[in-house]
Amino acid sequence: MTNEKLGMYEIYIPRAAEIFGVPKTREIFEQAIESGLSDKDVKTMCLKYTELESSSGDFDRARGLYVFAPQFADPQSDPELWNKWHEFEVQHGDEDTFREMLCIKGSVSASYSQMHFILPEYL
């Protein structure tokens, strides 16, 4: 079901962008992110949303999405988001925003490591 939902959004969003422009497309992305998709699909939507914001020149909104999305991506097993965020900060960021990205990456990495360390005890 969620796979179908992601597929629907992947068809709907580009069409909406063509017809309605960026403001309406933002609303659709936000609806998709809040619609109960799997973590992997939310991460996919966040990455597509950052592409929209970057291409429209709104780097602050794109950065906000990069700050939000890491909760859905383990740096060890899912490097796609982290690599794209790294590239984004190299192109559009400064020393402070790059440092913030590294801090968030370390924090998320630690939480995933702790979660995987504790999990077997409860099984």
Side-chain angles (χ1 to χ4, degrees):
M1 173 70 178
T2 59
N3 224 2
E4 291 174 10
K5 193 184 286 189
L6 177 65
M8 188 236 0
Y9 280 117
E10 288 179 331
I11 294 168
Y12 181 43
I13 288 171
R15 294 289 298 148
E18 281 178 31
I19 297 168
F20 302 112
V22 172
K24 181 66 177 173
T25 306
R26 283 181 178 138
E27 290 176 28
I28 298 166
F29 268 116
E30 289 164 11
Q31 177 188 18
I33 289 167
E34 296 172 358
S35 72
L37 293 170
S38 70
D39 285 357
K40 180 182 174 199
D41 292 346
V42 170
K43 182 203 71 167
T44 300
M45 282 288 110
C46 286
L47 286 173
K48 290 176 185 281
Y49 196 2
T50 59
E51 290 171 15
L52 170 79
E53 296 299 359
S54 293
S55 67
S56 67
D58 198 335
F59 302 120
D60 289 336
R61 286 180 77 103
R63 185 171 288 111
L65 287 159
Y66 277 121
V67 169
F68 170 77
Q71 63 186 309
F72 305 106
D74 178 358
Q76 300 300 317
S77 63
D78 189 5
E80 178 187 20
L81 174 118
W82 300 97
N83 293 337
K84 288 187 179 197
W85 191 4
H86 182 274
E87 291 172 26
F88 175 84
E89 292 301 344
V90 167
Q91 288 183 333
H92 306 291
D94 57 29
E95 189 175 326
D96 291 334
T97 59
F98 193 84
R99 192 175 302 122
E100 179 184 16
M101 176 201 61
L102 293 176
C103 286
I104 291 171
K105 184 176 184 178
S107 174
V108 171
S109 229
S111 70
Y112 271 96
S113 295
Q114 188 175 34
M115 184 173 66
H116 289 116
F117 180 73
I118 294 170
L119 188 61
E121 291 178 10
Y122 292 104
L123 292 178

